[in-house]
Amino acid sequence: MSQSTDPASPAGQIAAGYAFTGPALDLGALLWDGSCLPDRQIRIPLSMLNRHGLVAGATGTGKTKTLQLIAEQLSANGVPVFLADIKGDVSGISAPGDTNAKIEERAKDVAQEWEGTGFPSEFYSLGGIGPGIPLRSTVTSFGPVLMSKVLQLNQTQEQSLGLIFHYADTKGLELIDLKDLRAVVAFLVSDKGKPELKGIGGLSTVTAGVILRALTAFEQQGAAEFFGEPEFDTSEFLRTASDGRGLVSVLELPAVQDKPQLFSTFLMWLLADLYTDLPEVGDLEKPKLVFFFDEAHLLFNGASKAFLEAITQTVRLIRSKGIGVFFVTQTPKDVPADVLAQLGNRVQHALRAFTPDDAKALKATVKTFPNSPYDLEELLTQLGTGEAVITVLSENGAPTPVAATRLRAPQSLMGPIDAAALDQAVKSSLLYSRYAEPIDRESAYEKISAEQAAAEAEAEAAAAAAEAEKQAKAAAKAAPKPDPSLAQQVVGSGLFRSLARSIGTQLGREISRSVFGTAKRRR
């Protein structure tokens, strides 16, 4: 009896672990002893997609096509999907694929009935940089932990930023964009603002300076575009198309791929926002949304303890909100152990072992898999493009046997759609008019600026009155009287007005000017 038909053989036992009774996604056919067994299908239960997952592998091994394959089948089953398109080659999911000899051969190998199919898609961009409906967040919503990560602040500076956010929240100062945050930071180290935080620790001028410099550098990278209104409602990702298929939301990131710290942190905000807004639903027959977190190592690089704890908690608890999260990266060691332990579904593409570090990463990857009849250390270096080692959670939540798999081919276009088609898709979306144009309403910057202007006007008026009284007394005593034209020139001069503004609050005004700086010029 052959391996493909003998249920007692290792191949038969592996395949039996994937014989689910409920709805499931078809990933591909089992590889065993150098052969592809089309009658041994490897699948993942639809109900287990909210138990999270990992798609890993070296560059060029087929991770993006695996995302596309899974996203297509989720959409076909009525499950919305979120994909981050780092390189600009995922937009093709909206268009039918083109057949060729390789696809026909792959379909035959894995017993796939392949037909070119496009899937309903929406395209987004961060703040309108690049093609897509703009995604924006307010600074208040983004929060101090994520902002500290993206500004690369240390623990002390992160705690101070948390204090700043706390003050703004309690005083009703809305932090909509970066200039709002800068204004509040500057105010809290001015003479007028220092007492505001005295009872809860205060904010040092040095720390404020670090935060303000980080904000300036952040803005110079073009990041100001990402913060503002209208803020994106992440529930838009949960929609289905009119035909019942899940909507595929593609975040186009090629225009900001040189800002990995920013887009990886922004992706985390999207996920955290979903977690905050959605109700508890427990285990569902199918998830409400599956979120693919590409280039996941960028999220964890240099992350603070507080940031890692926030990620771990979000991933642990968001499952009960009906959201599945797949982290996409090169090796499992890119993901912290506490997060990795929660990823029940694994698709591991080939790894390379060209260097001692590569060999170490390979051994570490093998240890993260259940026991297997395969020599995984050897197998993982020999897998071809579009092949992977898979283990998922069965319908009862137990890990399935490790299965080397030749994956199915995506049915949508494996490459980007042309720029004109992408632009047409964006402009024809019902969401475009809702989010395209930025709004700049009154917020912390305007409120603090108004108070600052009023204080300056009051100080100037008081100083002018005092000086006028002084001049009147001097005029009464002095003889002969001074030349009126000269007095008018002195009182009306810019230097005099500058000095008058500083009377009574000299040091505070100097600090305010030096800290407000650019913000004052932007007014």
Side-chain angles (χ1 to χ4, degrees):
M1 185 177 290
S2 70
Q3 290 277 6
S4 63
T5 57
D6 183 4
S9 67
Q13 292 175 1
I14 292 171
Y18 293 86
F20 309 124
T21 57
L25 310 187
D26 296 310
L27 299 180
L30 181 68
L31 289 170
W32 182 261
D33 197 23
S35 299
C36 183
L37 310 178
D39 58 338
R40 302 296 192 185
Q41 290 293 306
I42 305 303
R43 311 164 75 217
I44 179 171
L46 190 59
S47 60
M48 290 292 112
L49 266 297
N50 71 330
R51 300 298 182 93
H52 310 320
L54 176 73
V55 178
T59 301
T61 55
K63 296 192 299 294
T64 301
K65 301 300 177 284
T66 297
L67 302 190
Q68 198 167 340
L69 172 67
I70 297 174
E72 289 177 354
Q73 294 192 57
L74 285 167
S75 174
N77 280 276
V79 179
V81 178
F82 175 91
L83 292 172
D85 187 7
I86 308 293
K87 305 182 190 73
D89 54 2
V90 181
S91 60
I93 196 168
S94 63
D98 298 322
T99 188
N100 56 43
K102 287 186 177 180
I103 288 178
E104 290 173 359
E105 182 181 0
R106 174 65 61 113
K108 182 179 179 181
D109 285 347
V110 301
Q112 177 184 10
E113 295 181 5
W114 191 92
E115 180 181 356
T117 309
F119 294 82
S121 304
E122 291 271 25
F123 299 96
Y124 300 95
S125 63
L126 286 188
I129 296 183
I133 299 162
L135 297 186
R136 300 183 187 90
S137 164
T138 64
V139 171
T140 291
S141 179
F142 204 69
V145 175
L146 291 175
M147 186 62 74
S148 296
K149 174 67 164 61
V150 84
L151 295 179
Q152 302 181 54
L153 303 182
N154 63 30
Q155 184 176 354
T156 300
Q157 294 155 1
E158 180 178 338
Q159 291 170 347
S160 294
L161 189 62
L163 200 61
I164 294 164
F165 272 75
H166 172 73
Y167 172 79
D169 290 344
T170 56
K171 294 296 182 179
L173 292 172
E174 292 182 273
L175 304 178
I176 292 177
D177 50 28
L178 294 181
K179 70 178 185 295
D180 291 324
L181 179 57
R182 186 191 291 108
V184 174
V185 174
F187 170 73
L188 290 175
V189 290
S190 69
D191 275 4
K192 185 177 180 181
K194 281 180 181 178
E196 297 284 331
L197 295 182
K198 189 175 181 180
I200 52 175
L203 174 66
S204 77
T205 305
V206 173
T207 299
V210 171
I211 294 172
L212 290 170
R213 287 193 295 274
L215 284 170
T216 299
F218 192 38
E219 284 186 303
Q220 288 174 347
Q221 297 174 12
E225 301 288 339
F226 310 125
F227 295 97
E229 291 183 319
E231 183 175 76
F232 186 73
D233 182 354
T234 51
S235 67
E236 306 282 12
F237 295 146
L238 305 178
R239 294 176 298 140
T240 55
S242 57
D243 61 3
R245 291 185 296 173
L247 202 62
V248 181
S249 298
V250 182
L251 179 58
E252 293 293 329
L253 294 171
V256 293
Q257 61 180 306
D258 59 337
K259 302 175 179 65
Q261 196 83 4
L262 174 64
F263 70 68
S264 63
T265 310
F266 202 94
L267 290 176
M268 192 63 221
W269 171 76
L270 294 175
L271 197 58
D273 193 68
L274 284 164
Y275 167 71
T276 301
D277 289 349
L278 292 175
E280 295 276 343
V281 293
D283 290 326
L284 302 172
E285 292 183 359
K286 61 183 180 182
K288 289 184 175 181
L289 173 74
V290 176
F291 192 104
F292 288 92
F293 210 123
D294 206 355
E295 300 291 342
H297 65 284
L298 298 172
L299 181 69
F300 302 111
N301 286 350
S304 68
K305 182 180 179 182
F307 188 71
L308 290 177
E309 287 175 351
I311 296 173
T312 304
Q313 182 183 26
T314 300
V315 172
R316 181 185 296 120
L317 299 178
I318 203 170
R319 177 180 70 82
S320 64
K321 306 289 185 86
I323 305 295
V325 183
F326 274 71
F327 290 97
V328 185
T329 188
Q330 295 204 354
T331 72
K333 73 181 184 67
D334 293 334
V335 181
D338 287 346
V339 177
L340 188 63
Q342 300 175 58
L343 310 183
N345 304 298
R346 301 275 299 279
V347 180
Q348 177 67 59
H349 288 267
L351 291 173
R352 310 304 179 207
F354 299 137
T355 69
D357 285 345
D358 290 341
K360 186 177 179 180
L362 176 60
K363 290 181 181 293
T365 299
V366 170
K367 290 179 181 178
T368 64
F369 279 90
N371 291 332
S372 163
Y374 296 99
D375 181 349
L376 287 180
E377 195 167 330
E378 179 180 0
L379 177 61
L380 285 173
T381 61
Q382 295 179 349
L383 291 170
T385 301
E387 297 177 347
V389 170
I390 293 174
T391 180
V392 302
L393 294 180
S394 67
E395 290 167 311
N396 61 8
T400 58
V402 176
T405 307
R406 181 163 294 162
L407 296 165
R408 292 183 168 219
Q411 293 178 289
S412 56
L413 184 65
M414 288 188 279
I417 58 176
D418 63 67
L422 180 56
D423 184 66
Q424 174 62 26
V426 172
K427 298 287 178 62
S428 62
S429 169
L430 296 176
L431 300 183
Y432 185 75
S433 60
R434 189 179 306 170
Y435 295 107
E437 290 299 321
I439 300 171
D440 188 11
R441 62 184 176 87
E442 184 184 65
S443 51
Y445 173 78
E446 286 77 17
K447 291 176 181 178
I448 290 175
S449 296
E451 290 181 8
Q452 183 84 355
E456 287 183 359
E458 184 179 344
E460 186 171 351
E467 184 65 22
E469 184 179 353
K470 180 181 176 182
Q471 291 287 349
K473 289 179 180 180
K477 293 179 181 180
K481 294 183 179 180
D483 184 356
S485 62
L486 178 60
Q488 289 172 354
Q489 290 175 23
V490 172
V491 175
S493 70
L495 176 61
F496 176 83
R497 288 198 301 271
S498 177
L499 291 171
R501 280 197 299 268
S502 67
I503 290 176
T505 56
Q506 180 66 33
L507 181 59
R509 294 261 54 83
E510 286 177 358
I511 291 175
S512 293
R513 276 197 290 272
S514 65
V515 175
F516 275 94
T518 302
K520 195 169 185 180
R521 287 194 295 273
R522 287 165 63 95
R523 224 171 17 239

